[in-house]
Amino acid sequence: MDNRLKKVIEKIVHPDQTCGIPGRQIADSLALVRDTIEYIKSRKVPTALVSLDQQKAFDRISHEFMDRTLRALGLGDFFCDVVTAMYRDTSSTALVNGWRTDPFPVLDPLPFPIKQDFLKILGVWLGGKGTAEKSWEERLAKTKQKLGLWSLRKLTIEGKSLVLRNETLPVLLYVAQVWPVQPRTVKAITRMIFYFIWNSKMDRVKREVMFKTHAKGGKGVPDIATILRGTFVCHCVRNTLRAKDEGHAGFLMARFFLLPTWRRLGWAEWDSAVPYNWETPWFYKEVEKFIKEHGPAAPAPTQWTPKIIHRQIRARDVSEPISALPSATADYVWRNVASKRLTNQHKDIAWMAIQGGLLVRAFMHARGINRYKSCPRGCTVDETTYYLFWECAYAQDLLKALSTELGAWIPTTCITADSVMYGLFPGSHALGDLQCCWRLLCCLKDVLLFSRNRLVVGKKETSTLGCRKMIHSLLRDYAALDGSDDDSDDET
């Protein structure tokens, strides 16, 4: 019955009704209220704003009234009789600790309570000065609470990016359709994101690098501020372009305010006889500012979506260079680092090793965090990432101990500093051997970093034999993962 009703509901329900109608968004109604308030404020029209909220409206509606309404809409006797039968003399029971209660009626119509709320409508503040900031502050508080709970887990950067994309972004997108995000809010969001990623106020890698895709040397962290700005722009463009054909008042109001902007951009398609407003409200000025800053995101504005805008902005990013390596080789290295054959933890270590963001003494000394910058094993050499993974005698001893494992895929003479740091091997080798060797070297870096931290924090040195055992344990985990992947492929 629901599927049959969906085919005609858009034709029989007024355009101003946006909730629960396919192709319509409840944010359209909020935008209409926002624009109406701006209109009456600019013309100084005495107005009162009243929001009526019908509490539990579905449970309180009269079934007789519903039946008459369906028949008045011409839905047919059969359809109306079926719907009426579903709600006539209905009852239910509850099962409590194995004991079933007596039947009781459900959906019993009751009088409509009326609630007045002059400021907050559907979770968004409207009608007064500073309502946009107040709406964002509430959403940021919820976001901070969510990220605080997720920060209790030991997540990788990959995992945290997933949390930001699936948990944080949806909380903010709803308000972004009504109010544009302001610079102050952008700073707060960005600060919150990177505090969550690094568990501190100190960024280890530049933020613009973090936003880049994996193929370009970034970590694919969602640029939430840009996505939110793009969401507001897409909603405004969608409303304005549909205003020509739709009867919803919100579309007409959006066109009224945005027509001068489209004319300045050379997009105006409407007759100059239609009414428009030369004084663009502050929130609509963000539309023109964003478009001029980032340019058109699609061949035609009708195709704009937040995903398309964000994807095209990221497509303009330049691949992150690697010192002493040509650009083509750097692209290959970034693909190595983001290989699906690596765990998220090893992806992070390999990426941080290249970006120089690991917490070694040289890095912390440069940031004023550590007094010393020499190797904690008593060497006088500065402890850099390159030194930790290659130059250190401890790393060389461990590489020699792993010569048997490495030799199974690639001759040990082909293992160079570039092999350990970037996954580059001289000579010609089979792809499978290269992938296995790169995976082993990532396990090596993981264990070297662990043993180094254990020495600094716990004052305990890990033997070469102990490191080798840990590497074998990691390789067994990889083998188990490969086996599960093969099983899933077979089932498919």
Side-chain angles (χ1 to χ4, degrees), residues 1-10 22 75 79 83 86:
M1 302 298 291
D2 181 59
N3 292 333
R4 295 178 65 180
L5 184 59
K6 283 181 179 179
K7 297 178 181 179
V8 297
I9 193 170
E10 190 174 359
L75 293 179
F79 184 91
V83 173
M86 293 169 61

Side-chain angles (χ1 to χ4, degrees), residues 98-247:
W99 178 76
R100 190 181 299 276
T101 65
D102 295 332
F104 54 87
V106 296
L107 301 177
D108 191 22
L110 297 172
F112 286 103
I114 296 179
K115 176 185 176 182
Q116 289 188 340
D117 189 349
F118 293 94
L119 294 175
K120 197 173 185 180
I121 303 175
L122 299 175
V124 178
W125 290 91
L126 297 165
K129 191 174 182 180
T131 50
E133 291 80 1
K134 196 168 185 179
S135 298
W136 281 114
E137 285 174 2
E138 287 189 354
R139 292 288 164 161
L140 289 180
K142 292 182 180 179
T143 302
K144 187 175 182 179
Q145 184 180 12
K146 277 195 171 186
L147 293 182
L149 294 174
W150 278 105
S151 63
L152 299 176
R153 302 189 179 188
K154 294 183 179 180
L155 299 175
T156 61
I157 298 178
E158 297 285 340
K160 290 179 178 180
S161 296
L162 190 64
V163 170
L164 291 172
R165 192 174 294 107
N166 295 336
E167 292 287 334
T168 303
L169 190 56
V171 176
L172 303 173
L173 281 177
Y174 179 65
V175 177
Q177 297 181 79
V178 183
W179 292 118
V181 59
Q182 294 297 292
R184 180 181 175 184
T185 307
V186 169
K187 290 182 180 179
I189 293 173
T190 307
R191 191 185 308 117
M192 193 183 304
I193 289 173
F194 286 98
Y195 188 90
F196 171 65
I197 289 177
W198 301 118
N199 293 323
S200 69
K201 295 181 180 179
M202 181 187 69
D203 291 354
R204 301 194 211 171
V205 181
K206 292 181 179 179
R207 293 177 178 179
E208 55 267 25
V209 176
M210 299 287 290
F211 290 138
K212 293 182 179 181
T213 61
H214 295 82
K216 294 185 177 181
K219 289 300 285 182
V221 174
D223 187 358
I224 291 182
T226 302
I227 295 174
L228 295 178
R229 293 179 67 194
T231 299
F232 180 77
V233 170
C234 288
H235 190 261
C236 294
V237 171
R238 167 183 169 272
N239 282 1
T240 312
L241 295 178
R242 289 182 59 181
K244 190 175 181 181
D245 304 317
E246 299 283 351

